[in-house]
mmCIF file of all heavy atoms in Angstrom:
data_model
loop_
_atom_site.group_PDB
_atom_site.id
_atom_site.type_symbol
_atom_site.label_atom_id
_atom_site.label_comp_id
_atom_site.label_asym_id
_atom_site.label_seq_id
_atom_site.Cartn_x
_atom_site.Cartn_y
_atom_site.Cartn_z
ATOM 1 N N SER B 1357 -28.300 -49.098 21.063
ATOM 2 C CA SER B 1357 -28.324 -50.465 21.576
ATOM 3 C C SER B 1357 -29.701 -51.079 21.583
ATOM 4 O O SER B 1357 -29.894 -52.272 21.208
ATOM 5 C CB SER B 1357 -27.679 -50.465 22.941
ATOM 6 O OG SER B 1357 -27.980 -51.581 23.643
ATOM 7 N N LEU B 1358 -30.695 -50.289 21.937
ATOM 8 C CA LEU B 1358 -32.087 -50.761 21.924
ATOM 9 C C LEU B 1358 -32.473 -51.280 20.515
ATOM 10 O O LEU B 1358 -32.934 -52.405 20.376
ATOM 11 C CB LEU B 1358 -33.007 -49.619 22.334
ATOM 12 C CG LEU B 1358 -34.506 -49.859 22.176
ATOM 13 C CD1 LEU B 1358 -34.987 -50.856 23.192
ATOM 14 C CD2 LEU B 1358 -35.282 -48.570 22.363
ATOM 15 N N PHE B 1359 -32.245 -50.464 19.510
ATOM 16 C CA PHE B 1359 -32.697 -50.822 18.192
ATOM 17 C C PHE B 1359 -31.860 -51.958 17.597
ATOM 18 O O PHE B 1359 -32.379 -52.901 16.983
ATOM 19 C CB PHE B 1359 -32.717 -49.623 17.227
ATOM 20 C CG PHE B 1359 -33.833 -48.692 17.523
ATOM 21 C CD1 PHE B 1359 -33.626 -47.451 18.102
ATOM 22 C CD2 PHE B 1359 -35.156 -49.105 17.312
ATOM 23 C CE1 PHE B 1359 -34.643 -46.621 18.421
ATOM 24 C CE2 PHE B 1359 -36.200 -48.239 17.644
ATOM 25 C CZ PHE B 1359 -35.944 -46.983 18.181
ATOM 26 N N LEU B 1360 -30.560 -51.856 17.785
ATOM 27 C CA LEU B 1360 -29.666 -52.863 17.240
ATOM 28 C C LEU B 1360 -29.953 -54.222 17.869
ATOM 29 O O LEU B 1360 -30.067 -55.260 17.118
ATOM 30 C CB LEU B 1360 -28.240 -52.434 17.537
ATOM 31 C CG LEU B 1360 -27.191 -52.946 16.567
ATOM 32 C CD1 LEU B 1360 -27.556 -52.526 15.149
ATOM 33 C CD2 LEU B 1360 -25.845 -52.374 16.939
ATOM 34 N N CYS B 1361 -30.092 -54.286 19.146
ATOM 35 C CA CYS B 1361 -30.293 -55.567 19.839
ATOM 36 C C CYS B 1361 -31.633 -56.122 19.502
ATOM 37 O O CYS B 1361 -31.820 -57.310 19.401
ATOM 38 C CB CYS B 1361 -30.148 -55.438 21.349
ATOM 39 S SG CYS B 1361 -28.483 -55.081 21.835
ATOM 40 N N SER B 1362 -32.661 -55.252 19.319
ATOM 41 C CA SER B 1362 -33.960 -55.831 19.008
ATOM 42 C C SER B 1362 -33.918 -56.409 17.564
ATOM 43 O O SER B 1362 -34.520 -57.452 17.308
ATOM 44 C CB SER B 1362 -35.071 -54.824 19.158
ATOM 45 O OG SER B 1362 -35.103 -53.938 18.109
ATOM 46 N N PHE B 1363 -33.132 -55.756 16.717
ATOM 47 C CA PHE B 1363 -33.043 -56.320 15.369
ATOM 48 C C PHE B 1363 -32.297 -57.674 15.388
ATOM 49 O O PHE B 1363 -32.698 -58.636 14.725
ATOM 50 C CB PHE B 1363 -32.358 -55.330 14.384
ATOM 51 C CG PHE B 1363 -32.313 -55.860 12.972
ATOM 52 C CD1 PHE B 1363 -33.492 -56.053 12.280
ATOM 53 C CD2 PHE B 1363 -31.134 -56.134 12.396
ATOM 54 C CE1 PHE B 1363 -33.400 -56.571 10.976
ATOM 55 C CE2 PHE B 1363 -31.054 -56.670 11.092
ATOM 56 C CZ PHE B 1363 -32.295 -56.862 10.397
ATOM 57 N N CYS B 1364 -31.239 -57.681 16.141
ATOM 58 C CA CYS B 1364 -30.444 -58.949 16.309
ATOM 59 C C CYS B 1364 -31.359 -60.051 16.835
ATOM 60 O O CYS B 1364 -31.305 -61.209 16.412
ATOM 61 C CB CYS B 1364 -29.248 -58.782 17.192
ATOM 62 S SG CYS B 1364 -27.938 -57.886 16.439
ATOM 63 N N GLY B 1365 -32.193 -59.675 17.843
ATOM 64 C CA GLY B 1365 -33.086 -60.689 18.434
ATOM 65 C C GLY B 1365 -34.012 -61.232 17.391
ATOM 66 O O GLY B 1365 -34.280 -62.405 17.358
ATOM 67 N N PHE B 1366 -34.500 -60.334 16.529
ATOM 68 C CA PHE B 1366 -35.428 -60.719 15.466
ATOM 69 C C PHE B 1366 -34.742 -61.742 14.532
ATOM 70 O O PHE B 1366 -35.291 -62.763 14.227
ATOM 71 C CB PHE B 1366 -35.832 -59.468 14.726
ATOM 72 C CG PHE B 1366 -36.794 -59.647 13.600
ATOM 73 C CD1 PHE B 1366 -38.038 -60.233 13.887
ATOM 74 C CD2 PHE B 1366 -36.510 -59.271 12.356
ATOM 75 C CE1 PHE B 1366 -38.931 -60.416 12.843
ATOM 76 C CE2 PHE B 1366 -37.400 -59.437 11.310
ATOM 77 C CZ PHE B 1366 -38.622 -60.032 11.599
ATOM 78 N N LEU B 1367 -33.527 -61.425 14.141
ATOM 79 C CA LEU B 1367 -32.773 -62.331 13.244
ATOM 80 C C LEU B 1367 -32.474 -63.644 13.904
ATOM 81 O O LEU B 1367 -32.415 -64.686 13.291
ATOM 82 C CB LEU B 1367 -31.435 -61.695 12.828
ATOM 83 C CG LEU B 1367 -31.426 -60.691 11.710
ATOM 84 C CD1 LEU B 1367 -30.025 -60.350 11.393
ATOM 85 C CD2 LEU B 1367 -32.090 -61.251 10.500
ATOM 86 N N SER B 1368 -32.224 -63.615 15.253
ATOM 87 C CA SER B 1368 -31.828 -64.820 15.946
ATOM 88 C C SER B 1368 -32.840 -65.954 15.804
ATOM 89 O O SER B 1368 -32.432 -67.097 15.794
ATOM 90 C CB SER B 1368 -31.521 -64.527 17.381
ATOM 91 O OG SER B 1368 -32.714 -64.292 18.101
ATOM 92 N N CYS B 1369 -34.137 -65.584 15.672
ATOM 93 C CA CYS B 1369 -35.135 -66.608 15.502
ATOM 94 C C CYS B 1369 -34.856 -67.490 14.277
ATOM 95 O O CYS B 1369 -35.021 -68.696 14.304
ATOM 96 C CB CYS B 1369 -36.501 -65.970 15.298
ATOM 97 S SG CYS B 1369 -37.053 -65.153 16.754
ATOM 98 N N PHE B 1370 -34.460 -66.812 13.213
ATOM 99 C CA PHE B 1370 -34.153 -67.569 11.977
ATOM 100 C C PHE B 1370 -32.937 -68.442 12.151
ATOM 101 O O PHE B 1370 -32.865 -69.557 11.709
ATOM 102 C CB PHE B 1370 -33.971 -66.628 10.810
ATOM 103 C CG PHE B 1370 -35.230 -65.929 10.368
ATOM 104 C CD1 PHE B 1370 -35.483 -64.640 10.802
ATOM 105 C CD2 PHE B 1370 -36.113 -66.573 9.515
ATOM 106 C CE1 PHE B 1370 -36.639 -64.006 10.358
ATOM 107 C CE2 PHE B 1370 -37.259 -65.949 9.159
ATOM 108 C CZ PHE B 1370 -37.533 -64.664 9.537
ATOM 109 N N LEU B 1371 -31.940 -67.854 12.873
ATOM 110 C CA LEU B 1371 -30.651 -68.607 13.008
ATOM 111 C C LEU B 1371 -30.860 -69.841 13.906
ATOM 112 O O LEU B 1371 -30.285 -70.879 13.636
ATOM 113 C CB LEU B 1371 -29.633 -67.703 13.637
ATOM 114 C CG LEU B 1371 -29.203 -66.519 12.782
ATOM 115 C CD1 LEU B 1371 -28.274 -65.615 13.534
ATOM 116 C CD2 LEU B 1371 -28.552 -66.991 11.511
ATOM 117 N N ILE B 1372 -31.684 -69.704 14.909
ATOM 118 C CA ILE B 1372 -31.934 -70.809 15.841
ATOM 119 C C ILE B 1372 -32.667 -71.968 15.075
ATOM 120 O O ILE B 1372 -32.264 -73.121 15.212
ATOM 121 C CB ILE B 1372 -32.956 -70.349 16.931
ATOM 122 C CG1 ILE B 1372 -32.250 -69.398 17.904
ATOM 123 C CG2 ILE B 1372 -33.562 -71.494 17.679
ATOM 124 C CD1 ILE B 1372 -31.388 -70.132 18.836
ATOM 125 N N LEU B 1373 -33.546 -71.599 14.190
ATOM 126 C CA LEU B 1373 -34.317 -72.616 13.440
ATOM 127 C C LEU B 1373 -33.376 -73.511 12.608
ATOM 128 O O LEU B 1373 -33.602 -74.696 12.503
ATOM 129 C CB LEU B 1373 -35.280 -71.934 12.497
ATOM 130 C CG LEU B 1373 -36.591 -71.606 13.013
ATOM 131 C CD1 LEU B 1373 -37.437 -71.035 11.890
ATOM 132 C CD2 LEU B 1373 -37.292 -72.823 13.560
ATOM 133 N N LYS B 1374 -32.412 -72.860 11.974
ATOM 134 C CA LYS B 1374 -31.610 -73.565 10.982
ATOM 135 C C LYS B 1374 -30.255 -74.018 11.482
ATOM 136 O O LYS B 1374 -29.426 -74.425 10.716
ATOM 137 C CB LYS B 1374 -31.405 -72.616 9.821
ATOM 138 C CG LYS B 1374 -32.520 -72.676 8.809
ATOM 139 C CD LYS B 1374 -32.409 -73.992 8.007
ATOM 140 C CE LYS B 1374 -33.418 -73.974 6.889
ATOM 141 N NZ LYS B 1374 -33.357 -75.210 6.116
ATOM 142 N N SER B 1375 -30.033 -73.908 12.799
ATOM 143 C CA SER B 1375 -28.701 -74.213 13.329
ATOM 144 C C SER B 1375 -27.597 -73.358 12.681
ATOM 145 O O SER B 1375 -26.550 -73.882 12.364
ATOM 146 C CB SER B 1375 -28.276 -75.673 13.139
ATOM 147 O OG SER B 1375 -29.139 -76.462 13.866
ATOM 148 N N TYR B 1376 -27.917 -72.171 12.420
ATOM 149 C CA TYR B 1376 -26.883 -71.272 11.859
ATOM 150 C C TYR B 1376 -26.190 -70.466 12.943
ATOM 151 O O TYR B 1376 -25.389 -69.561 12.656
ATOM 152 C CB TYR B 1376 -27.538 -70.243 10.870
ATOM 153 C CG TYR B 1376 -27.883 -70.779 9.554
ATOM 154 C CD1 TYR B 1376 -28.772 -70.147 8.723
ATOM 155 C CD2 TYR B 1376 -27.285 -71.958 9.069
ATOM 156 C CE1 TYR B 1376 -29.084 -70.645 7.470
ATOM 157 C CE2 TYR B 1376 -27.597 -72.453 7.865
ATOM 158 C CZ TYR B 1376 -28.520 -71.769 7.056
ATOM 159 O OH TYR B 1376 -28.833 -72.272 5.818
ATOM 160 N N SER B 1377 -26.468 -70.817 14.188
ATOM 161 C CA SER B 1377 -25.980 -69.972 15.319
ATOM 162 C C SER B 1377 -24.502 -69.713 15.236
ATOM 163 O O SER B 1377 -24.003 -68.578 15.456
ATOM 164 C CB SER B 1377 -26.267 -70.673 16.646
ATOM 165 O OG SER B 1377 -27.503 -71.239 16.627
ATOM 166 N N LEU B 1378 -23.724 -70.771 14.925
ATOM 167 C CA LEU B 1378 -22.300 -70.555 15.027
ATOM 168 C C LEU B 1378 -21.723 -69.868 13.778
ATOM 169 O O LEU B 1378 -20.608 -69.378 13.794
ATOM 170 C CB LEU B 1378 -21.577 -71.892 15.314
ATOM 171 C CG LEU B 1378 -21.957 -72.335 16.721
ATOM 172 C CD1 LEU B 1378 -21.604 -73.754 16.944
ATOM 173 C CD2 LEU B 1378 -21.295 -71.417 17.740
ATOM 174 N N LEU B 1379 -22.568 -69.753 12.765
ATOM 175 C CA LEU B 1379 -22.209 -68.924 11.622
ATOM 176 C C LEU B 1379 -22.086 -67.462 12.041
ATOM 177 O O LEU B 1379 -21.206 -66.738 11.565
ATOM 178 C CB LEU B 1379 -23.267 -69.096 10.541
ATOM 179 C CG LEU B 1379 -22.868 -68.718 9.166
ATOM 180 C CD1 LEU B 1379 -21.741 -69.573 8.674
ATOM 181 C CD2 LEU B 1379 -24.020 -68.805 8.212
#
Side-chain angles (χ1 to χ4, degrees):
Chain B
S1357 160
L1358 171 71
F1359 287 109
L1360 208 55
C1361 292
S1362 77
F1363 184 64
C1364 286
F1366 183 57
L1367 277 188
S1368 71
C1369 294
F1370 290 99
L1371 296 175
I1372 288 284
L1373 272 184
K1374 272 285 187 182
S1375 295
Y1376 282 162
S1377 321
L1378 292 166
L1379 199 62

